[in-house]
């Protein structure tokens, strides 16, 4: 009877080990650890870096349409603050539903700005704002001059038809702490893929 090479003996030992109950448990434990690590990584990325969100409602038409998927950059909370013109996601507590509500709105004014709406036009710091992303003048009437506190944002939906958007005109300026992230891309459907 000849001698088996050392490599062949080692492979036989590994096969025996994996066939034993201890070897199977070891293999299962290894896969469980890998799965848990993968899930933790996904949760970490989702919490602090980016996630995807689906548009619901008509408040951001014509820019965003219900059913579109957005890429949300959450790093804006760590590096800088939203600027005028940014489309952001905010998390507000709903008294009716007793759970947070996520809204997609456009930042029209930041801390220190004065907002005023008259004759269907938006004015920031006394100057009429060019808003090519809207499809109609503001139909909800006027809004008296209002100065935004530092650390707050004034947000509006792009749909300016009457009662189309529940925004800062009704619930006031939004604290920066409520900003979840900035919507940067429409990623679905593919024929609508574009940067916001």
């Amino acid at each position: 009877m000849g001698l088996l090479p050392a490599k062949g003996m080692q492979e036989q030992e590994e096969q025996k080990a994996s066939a034993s109950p201890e070897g199977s448990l070891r293999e299962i434990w290894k896969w469980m650890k890998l799965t848990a690590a993968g899930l933790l990584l996904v949760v970490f990325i989702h919490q602090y870096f980016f996630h995807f969100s689906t548009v619901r409602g008509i408040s951001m038409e014509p820019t965003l349409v219900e059913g579109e998927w957005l890429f949300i950059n959450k790093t804006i909370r760590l590096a800088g603050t939203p600027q005028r013109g940014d489309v952001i996601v905010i998390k507000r507590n709903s008294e009716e539903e007793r759970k947070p509500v996520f809204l997609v709105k456009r930042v029209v004014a930041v801390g220190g700005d004065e907002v005023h709406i008259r004759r269907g036009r938006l004015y920031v710091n006394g100057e009429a704002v060019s808003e090519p992303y809207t499809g109609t003048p503001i139909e909800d009437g006027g809004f008296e001059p209002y100065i935004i506190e530092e650390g707050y944002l004034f947000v509006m939906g792009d749909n300016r038809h009457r009662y189309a958007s529940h925004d800062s005109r009704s619930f006031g300026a939004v604290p920066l702490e409520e900003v979840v992230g900035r919507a940067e891309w429409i990623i679905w459907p593919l024929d609508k893929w574009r940067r916001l």
Side-chain angles (χ1 to χ4, degrees):
M1 184 169 84
L3 293 173
L4 285 171
K7 187 177 178 186
M9 290 175 63
Q10 185 180 356
E11 286 176 1
Q12 279 188 347
E13 289 299 319
E14 286 176 3
Q15 286 174 359
K16 283 181 190 174
S18 63
S20 70
E22 294 84 13
S24 296
L25 287 174
R26 206 175 300 122
E27 193 70 20
I28 291 169
W29 178 242
K30 183 174 109 178
W31 281 106
M32 286 176 65
K33 287 193 294 187
L34 283 172
T35 302
L39 287 172
L40 284 172
L41 181 62
V42 168
V43 169
F44 181 75
I45 290 171
H46 183 271
Q47 184 70 29
Y48 296 103
F49 292 96
F50 70 86
H51 75 267
F52 305 111
S53 184
T54 307
V55 176
R56 302 218 183 281
I58 63 169
S59 73
M60 283 298 290
E61 291 180 0
T63 306
L64 302 174
V65 178
E66 184 160 12
E68 291 176 338
W69 288 16
L70 305 175
F71 174 87
I72 310 298
N73 178 359
K74 299 175 103 171
T75 62
I76 192 168
R77 297 180 304 178
L78 307 171
T81 57
Q83 303 298 311
R84 284 189 222 126
D86 285 349
V87 176
I88 62 171
V89 176
I90 56 176
K91 178 181 176 183
R92 299 201 45 85
N93 291 320
S94 168
E95 293 175 7
E96 300 86 31
E97 298 181 33
R98 295 184 181 176
K99 62 180 181 180
V101 173
F102 294 89
L103 304 173
V104 181
K105 301 295 174 188
R106 187 177 298 274
V107 177
V108 298
V110 297
D113 287 342
E114 181 191 73
V115 178
H116 187 195
I117 296 170
R118 69 174 184 271
R119 296 193 189 112
R121 294 289 306 271
L122 171 68
Y123 292 82
V124 175
N125 301 326
E127 294 185 15
V129 178
S130 172
E131 298 187 286
Y133 42 77
T134 62
T136 182
I138 301 167
E139 296 178 352
D140 291 306
F143 190 86
E144 293 303 312
Y146 176 78
I147 296 178
I148 315 304
E149 291 181 48
E150 292 297 334
Y152 285 77
L153 304 169
F154 195 90
V155 298
M156 292 176 66
D158 288 356
N159 188 340
R160 302 299 170 76
H161 289 291
R162 190 177 302 274
Y163 309 125
S165 177
H166 180 57
D167 52 40
S168 287
R169 292 171 291 171
S170 53
F171 54 66
V174 176
L176 288 171
E177 294 79 40
E178 291 185 3
V179 176
V180 172
R182 180 172 57 209
E184 296 192 344
W185 293 86
I186 298 173
I187 58 170
W188 185 264
L190 291 177
D191 61 337
K192 299 282 187 73
W193 183 290
R194 66 182 172 87
R195 187 173 183 84
L196 291 172

